[in-house]
Amino acid sequence: MVNAQPITLKDMVTYEKQSNFIKEFKIPLTERGLKGITTDTLGNAWFYHSTFNSSTIVRLEPIVMKFTQYSVPGKTVVDNAIINLAGGQLVFDNDSNVVWFTDARTNSIGKLDVKSGDIQLVSIPTPKAGPMGIVLSPDGKSVWFAEITGNRIANLDIQSNKIIEYPVIGSASSSNNNGILNNQDNGPTFLTFDSKGVLWVTLSYSSSVLRVEPWALVPNSSTMGMSPFTLAKSETFSPFGIAVVDYKAGSQQRMYVSDHGSSRIISTDAGPNLLLQSYLSYWTSPSQVYPTTLPGQIVADKLGKAIYFPEHGGNRIAKINVDSGQMTEYDIPTGPLSTALFTAISGDGKKVWFTEWASNKIAYLDTTIPVPLTIQVPGYYNINNNNNNNNTTMLLVLKRNAPKILDVVLKTDNNNKTALEASSPSTPQSLLLNEVGLSLVGMGESGIAGINYTAQPQRIDMEKNSTANSQIALQVENDENNSRIIRTGQYTIMVRATALENKDNNSLVSLLYPVQIMLDVPAPPINQQQPQQTYPNNISNNYQVPVNGFFDFTSLGGILRIFPLLVAIGLIAYIVYRRIERSRKTTQQHRPQER
């Protein structure tokens, strides 16, 4: 028997491709420690790098390819687990020409003066707070940040450098206190302001999103000015990144939340009466090596027309067009797991920057390069679509023995070329359009469950056609042998078109369009037990993961399959540890009184 070889970083980074859309930069630091990133008004990228012994802010001037490093002073005052958990984030303050950042290693908020290069640290009152997300207030007078292990949000007054903290609460449905609001270990992670001045915070540990009215907050109180929300359905939900945009001419707001324990983005109306009660799941394409794609931080452009996010386990950068509802995915050139989690968008919206932990690179998606292909599903639209059409059907209802047809329209625009392509008619476009593939993904973690489908045609030559039509026939599986239980309910399927880049024919660009369906099937008999198996994924594509046993520690696939479980165990252990610490402190405080 051959001894198993240990997994190394080399297994995560085995190739480096070329891309028409993404440009990567190797950083001048050898140790792994890349986390957050931001941009300034000159188009420079600023990113955070941290190890147990040091933390560094680095500026990249991409035009001249110059890196400048700024060492963060101060001793390490927390455990390595907190440093690894709390990803240091940055935000650029244009009014003061300052970069603000969270530094878990020193348990402080940092202020880097761009002109002088000086760094000033402001200590956070709560020890081992694990500062994570950071954002400027709308008036520019304060900086707000989340404490993922301190279970607080806080604001730092820029003029006085004074920090005020507010403990956060999770939703009653996510607590273990019989409906009592949970105020411990909620894991505030990222935060953002909407156009009305409301602050929104993701609570990763309590499956909640927190709505905060800053003007109503009371220091050290978690009951005033805060309202937690969670999904109406009893689903697993790990909120991470968040963005809120105005749409329908500013009359409504739309929220996008990444479900970091899953493969989807949640899209919902941001109104207090509708928040997370009716929502759309944007399912990403299945990962090549990871059981879930783990969507990360979310950023929106200034006009609120598009949101962007990295797929931590999917090794892609994705965009959702707020108006059309179409999602576009771009393969990251380095892989199979460059570990992209954090992102930022330039002020002009032309570059979406992100960091790659495993490959020690930073990179950007060039948003000015159009994808010369669009996908439409006439007759059906989703709750995220802004088009008002009274003749449009909201749901596609599927019943047994009653097949339904989805009409899919693909369109190309010969004018959608880069500047170089436009100047030379003989230059090929950014994508190879001679064999565009059509398929379905989504519906759940295990893919399309309980539905068979066929696409005619499944592959389309869009080089010869500016418009092409295809039909997808859907039918609910029969259960005559009772081998599967198909449950009635509302789901989201994603109609997907894929094309290869012309620069590297192993890199895909995928277009996905969400369609809501309703499975209307008879309920299974009460005495029928659900079989111990998952629904098969009926999609044949290039993303299938070989199964060699779940607890396989000898291969990259095995490690990646158990990684979410290991992370969950680690977080639970940390929470238990904190509760034991609190219990000990409480006991010590009460002992003198008991005597």
Side-chain angles (χ1 to χ4, degrees):
M1 180 177 178
V2 180
N3 292 330
Q5 297 297 317
I7 299 298
T8 67
L9 283 171
K10 292 181 179 179
D11 297 306
M12 295 185 180
V13 180
T14 61
Y15 61 77
E16 294 181 350
K17 302 178 182 179
Q18 298 295 315
S19 172
N20 292 303
F21 303 95
I22 294 174
K23 183 175 178 59
E24 297 177 303
F25 305 86
K26 192 74 176 179
I27 69 169
L29 298 169
T30 56
E31 287 189 84
R32 265 63 183 178
L34 274 173
K35 296 187 179 179
I37 191 167
T38 192
T39 63
D40 61 25
T41 53
L42 299 177
N44 301 316
W46 297 77
F47 56 94
Y48 177 93
H49 182 281
S50 181
T51 66
F52 179 73
N53 296 315
S54 66
S55 41
T56 307
I57 307 298
V58 185
R59 177 179 63 185
L60 168 62
E61 300 171 68
I63 296 178
V64 296
M65 278 303 299
K66 178 183 178 182
F67 288 92
T68 306
Q69 300 181 34
Y70 305 86
S71 296
V72 178
K75 296 181 179 179
T76 302
V77 297
V78 299
D79 298 332
N80 202 30
I82 295 179
I83 296 175
N84 291 333
L85 178 63
Q89 302 298 304
L90 314 92
V91 63
F92 178 70
D93 183 351
N94 184 42
D95 293 339
S96 304
N97 200 27
V98 162
V99 175
W100 295 93
F101 60 94
T102 55
D103 190 54
R105 185 183 66 84
T106 60
N107 200 53
S108 60
I109 300 301
K111 175 183 178 182
L112 190 160
D113 186 286
V114 172
K115 185 176 181 180
S116 66
D118 294 336
I119 292 179
Q120 177 185 1
L121 298 180
V122 182
S123 295
I124 298 172
T126 297
K128 302 178 181 179
M132 183 77 173
I134 187 169
V135 65
L136 280 169
S137 63
D139 61 9
K141 295 181 179 180
S142 61
V143 175
W144 288 79
F145 59 95
E147 302 175 14
I148 191 169
T149 53
N151 202 54
R152 291 168 171 81
I153 59 172
N155 78 318
L156 183 154
D157 181 81
I158 291 177
Q159 185 173 3
S160 66
N161 276 349
K162 180 181 179 181
I163 291 177
I164 301 177
E165 296 177 303
Y166 307 90
V168 301
I169 55 174
S171 66
S173 60
S174 65
S175 72
N176 295 319
N177 301 321
N178 298 321
I180 300 174
L181 290 177
N182 181 10
N183 62 358
Q184 295 180 352
D185 304 317
N186 292 293
T189 307
F190 279 102
L191 63 180
T192 188
F193 280 97
D194 66 20
S195 61
K196 299 178 181 179
V198 174
L199 180 66
W200 299 91
V201 187
T202 54
L203 305 180
S204 294
Y205 299 167
S206 62
S207 304
S208 305
V209 172
L210 189 66
R211 184 181 188 273
V212 181
E213 297 177 345
W215 54 88
L217 291 176
V218 176
N220 299 317
S221 171
S222 59
T223 59
M224 300 295 292
M226 295 187 187
S227 303
F229 297 86
T230 192
L231 296 181
K233 302 177 184 177
S234 57
E235 297 182 70
T236 301
F237 181 42
S238 301
F240 190 76
I242 186 169
V244 180
V245 299
D246 294 337
Y247 78 118
K248 290 190 176 179
S251 63
Q252 296 185 31
Q253 291 182 316
R254 195 97 199 138
M255 176 183 292
Y256 295 86
V257 181
S258 61
D259 186 355
H260 193 57
S262 176
S263 299
R264 64 178 176 171
I265 297 291
I266 297 291
S267 172
T268 178
D269 192 299
N273 296 327
L274 298 174
L275 183 64
L276 297 178
Q277 302 307 297
S278 177
Y279 56 89
L280 180 71
S281 294
Y282 271 89
W283 294 99
T284 56
S285 298
S287 171
Q288 292 177 319
V289 295
Y290 205 91
T292 53
T293 61
L294 308 177
Q297 185 178 2
I298 299 178
V299 293
D301 63 19
K302 283 187 175 180
L303 297 177
K305 296 296 185 181
I307 64 120
Y308 300 85
F309 59 94
E311 297 177 20
H312 190 190
N315 209 52
R316 306 183 197 96
I317 299 298
K319 167 190 175 181
I320 295 178
N321 185 303
V322 174
D323 288 334
S324 70
Q326 176 181 291
M327 180 165 69
T328 307
E329 295 176 319
Y330 306 83
D331 280 358
I332 294 175
T334 300
L337 198 68
S338 64
T339 321
L341 180 59
F342 304 116
T343 187
I345 189 168
S346 60
D348 58 11
K350 294 181 179 180
K351 292 182 175 65
V352 176
W353 289 87
F354 55 95
T355 57
E356 303 175 13
W357 179 88
S359 65
N360 243 12
K361 295 178 181 179
I362 66 170
Y364 69 79
L365 168 71
D366 189 338
T367 65
T368 66
I369 301 177
V371 174
L373 185 68
T374 59
I375 184 171
Q376 299 175 358
V377 184
Y380 297 95
Y381 76 106
N382 57 74
I383 60 174
N384 191 59
N385 199 310
N386 294 343
N387 298 325
N388 295 318
N389 187 344
N390 295 329
N391 297 321
T392 305
T393 303
M394 280 295 291
L395 286 175
L396 173 65
V397 180
L398 291 177
K399 299 182 179 182
R400 281 203 172 93
N401 302 316
K404 289 292 181 71
I405 299 295
L406 275 180
D407 291 308
V408 180
V409 179
L410 297 178
K411 293 184 177 181
T412 61
D413 184 354
N414 292 329
N415 295 322
N416 278 352
K417 296 184 178 182
T418 65
L420 178 61
E421 293 168 350
S423 64
S424 176
S426 62
T427 303
Q429 296 190 76
S430 54
L431 296 181
L432 298 175
L433 299 177
N434 61 328
E435 197 173 358
V436 176
L438 201 62
S439 61
L440 292 183
V441 298
M443 193 170 175
E445 291 299 342
S446 58
I448 302 297
I451 298 176
N452 291 318
Y453 80 91
T454 55
Q456 293 294 335
Q458 188 174 6
R459 298 194 177 276
I460 304 170
D461 186 353
M462 297 301 296
E463 295 282 3
K464 300 177 180 179
N465 304 284
S466 60
T467 301
N469 297 282
S470 180
Q471 289 188 327
I472 299 179
L474 301 99
Q475 185 169 358
V476 178
E477 291 181 354
N478 291 320
D479 64 340
E480 295 176 356
N481 57 1
N482 292 326
S483 61
R484 299 183 181 93
I485 296 178
I486 304 171
R487 301 193 180 279
T488 294
Q490 186 172 319
Y491 303 89
T492 303
I493 58 175
M494 308 291 291
V495 182
R496 182 178 68 161
T498 57
L500 294 169
E501 286 197 42
N502 68 356
K503 185 170 284 189
D504 191 321
N505 59 14
N506 287 320
S507 295
L508 279 177
V509 172
S510 300
L511 306 180
L512 300 98
Y513 191 85
V515 175
Q516 291 186 292
I517 65 171
M518 172 65 74
L519 284 185
D520 185 5
V521 295
I526 297 177
N527 60 352
Q528 183 177 352
Q529 298 296 319
Q530 186 168 356
Q532 298 299 314
Q533 65 182 68
T534 58
Y535 295 125
N537 189 340
N538 296 317
I539 302 168
S540 176
N541 54 39
N542 297 324
Y543 294 101
Q544 300 301 320
V545 180
V547 179
N548 299 318
F550 188 79
F551 291 100
D552 175 12
F553 290 87
T554 63
S555 67
L556 176 61
I559 290 292
L560 293 177
R561 275 190 289 277
I562 66 170
F563 185 72
L565 177 61
L566 297 178
V567 171
I569 292 173
L571 293 179
I572 292 171
Y574 182 79
I575 291 172
V576 171
Y577 166 75
R578 289 192 62 224
R579 287 175 176 169
I580 292 174
E581 273 196 324
R582 281 197 297 268
S583 177
R584 287 175 177 172
K585 290 179 180 179
T586 302
T587 302
Q588 291 173 356
Q589 292 173 354
H590 289 172
R591 277 176 181 169
Q593 299 175 2
E594 293 172 352
R595 291 175 184 172

